[in-house]
Amino acid sequence: MAELRAWRITDPAAWNRFIESARYHAFPQLWEWGEVRAMGGWRPLRLAIGPSHDKPVAGAQLLLRRIPLVGWHLAYVPRGPVGQLDDPAIRDGLLRALRALGREERIATVRADPEADSSTPYGRALLERPWRAAPKVQPPTTRIIDLTAGEEALRAGLKRKHRQYVNKGEREGVTIERFDGSAPSEVIGQALADFNRIYRFTAERAGFVARQPFYYERVWSLFAPTGRVRLAFAVLNGERVATIYHFTCGERAVEAYGGMTDAGADARSNYLLKWDAIAGFAREGFAVYDMWGLATGGIRQFKEGFGGRDVTYVGARDLSLRAP
């Protein structure tokens, strides 16, 4: 292999092309996600390695945060690093690049959280030195549906109860409304307001914390021009009663946020809404539908009823860059 060089990518389109074609890619490594997290005080930095600047083979979007008083930084790599990291030579090259970056930027520790499991060479390497276990950041377990089977096979793969509830939603007059990045601002503005209303209601009922409305609006404004964000609703009697907020990255579609009202729950609208999303992405030619995490109890059973398989990643791992 040619000598591996390290450089920073500062062109958003070039970075996203690399990410979407890279092994182990995920939407939080896209350029726009770094800009989202910059709202929270993180400084994004995009590092690549390869034989030349037009041929990156691995890399990471790092989010840097300064440690008060001491002058060092912590770095987090959401769902990364990515690339040809089953190759030990490329893994070693990336470690060297991270250590050099650590000296330049005074980074004490890098926390990585890639979509790699222990069945892969990359995943197994992350379980060994110099990496060490770190507290959970992103969901370590998710459910993945292979969309290449086609819509007919996907529908046949639904559990019987789920097929019944999809049909129930259709019989009760639930319809589906979809938005992408091309939606006019006045249209998507009201749609995002309804998303926030439904999502906040769901958060209060389920006991998790929803961010302020401006956060999801800002996310949309950053991702919409690239075409990598979608918003869908189930509508009953003219009212939006359930919603899912999706990201896309390469051949993958990921459901990041969702919720429903009491009326939506009574009509089983969330079953029809999720099924429509799965079938719709399959028709568009996407290969993977990621449910982004598996909770316990009823939510897990709900997700499992749509088919697919569970995947467990190695979880968050820390790499110390500070000299002892």
Side-chain angles (χ1 to χ4, degrees):
M1 177 181 292
E3 179 184 358
L4 294 174
R5 304 177 181 183
W7 68 97
R8 303 186 193 196
I9 296 181
T10 57
D11 175 49
W15 178 258
N16 284 345
R17 283 195 300 271
F18 160 60
I19 291 300
E20 291 198 311
S21 64
R23 181 85 166 92
Y24 300 105
H25 65 257
F27 81 85
Q29 280 291 293
L30 291 169
W31 183 280
E32 291 73 25
W33 194 254
E35 301 307 298
V36 168
R37 301 310 300 146
M39 292 190 299
W42 297 89
R43 176 165 63 92
L45 185 155
R46 292 89 179 180
L47 176 71
I49 64 168
S52 62
H53 283 207
D54 61 339
K55 294 181 179 178
V57 296
Q61 174 169 249
L62 299 96
L63 305 177
L64 274 59
R65 186 184 289 276
R66 190 173 182 274
I67 305 171
L69 302 178
V70 300
W72 286 79
H73 294 84
L74 297 177
Y76 173 47
V77 185
R79 286 303 199 222
V82 305
Q84 299 174 27
L85 293 166
D86 288 334
D87 185 327
I90 294 177
R91 290 198 301 271
D92 289 345
L94 183 61
L95 283 174
R96 289 194 298 272
L98 288 171
R99 289 186 172 119
L101 182 69
R103 292 190 293 271
E104 294 170 13
E105 295 285 347
R106 291 181 59 82
I107 300 170
T109 302
V110 171
R111 178 159 297 170
D113 196 11
E115 293 194 348
D117 63 64
S118 60
S119 70
T120 65
Y122 178 30
R124 290 193 293 272
L126 288 166
L127 297 174
E128 300 173 353
R129 293 175 60 87
W131 296 97
R132 64 176 187 269
K136 182 179 75 171
V137 183
Q138 300 292 347
T141 304
T142 189
R143 194 164 184 87
I144 299 294
I145 299 176
D146 178 2
L147 300 180
T148 62
E151 186 175 349
E152 184 176 338
L154 290 168
R155 187 160 192 137
L158 297 176
K159 287 189 176 178
R160 185 176 65 177
K161 182 186 72 173
H162 283 56
R163 277 197 301 274
Q164 291 172 345
Y165 287 158
V166 167
N167 294 336
K168 172 182 170 66
E170 292 172 337
R171 286 196 310 271
E172 296 202 1
V174 176
T175 59
I176 305 301
E177 195 175 16
R178 308 173 195 86
F179 299 93
D180 60 22
S182 66
S185 58
E186 64 274 13
V187 173
I188 199 60
Q190 183 57 57
L192 286 167
D194 285 336
F195 162 80
N196 278 301
R197 170 180 56 82
I198 297 170
Y199 193 58
R200 185 165 295 278
F201 172 82
T202 303
E204 291 172 355
R205 182 181 57 190
F208 65 88
V209 178
R211 295 178 183 269
Q212 293 299 312
F214 73 83
Y215 175 85
Y216 305 102
E217 293 161 3
R218 175 65 172 159
V219 170
W220 185 274
S221 71
L222 288 167
F223 276 87
T226 74
R228 297 185 177 95
V229 67
R230 312 289 178 85
L231 185 61
F233 293 95
V235 181
L236 179 63
N237 299 325
E239 179 186 358
R240 291 167 174 159
V241 295
T243 186
I244 307 180
Y245 199 127
H246 290 94
F247 295 96
T248 65
C249 182
E251 84 291 359
R252 301 173 69 88
V254 182
E255 55 177 52
Y257 319 111
M260 61 183 169
T261 67
D262 287 338
D266 291 343
R268 307 294 185 182
S269 62
N270 53 330
Y271 287 83
L272 179 58
L273 180 62
K274 192 182 293 287
W275 162 247
D276 181 84
I278 293 167
F281 282 117
R283 288 193 297 270
E284 286 189 54
F286 286 85
V288 174
Y289 188 92
D290 186 345
M291 295 188 183
W292 196 253
L294 281 176
T296 58
I299 295 177
R300 185 185 186 102
Q301 292 172 3
F302 171 66
K303 292 186 175 185
E304 289 176 343
F306 289 93
R309 62 186 177 90
D310 288 359
V311 176
T312 300
Y313 302 124
V314 297
R317 312 294 294 175
D318 276 354
L319 174 69
S320 175
L321 300 183
R322 191 169 182 176

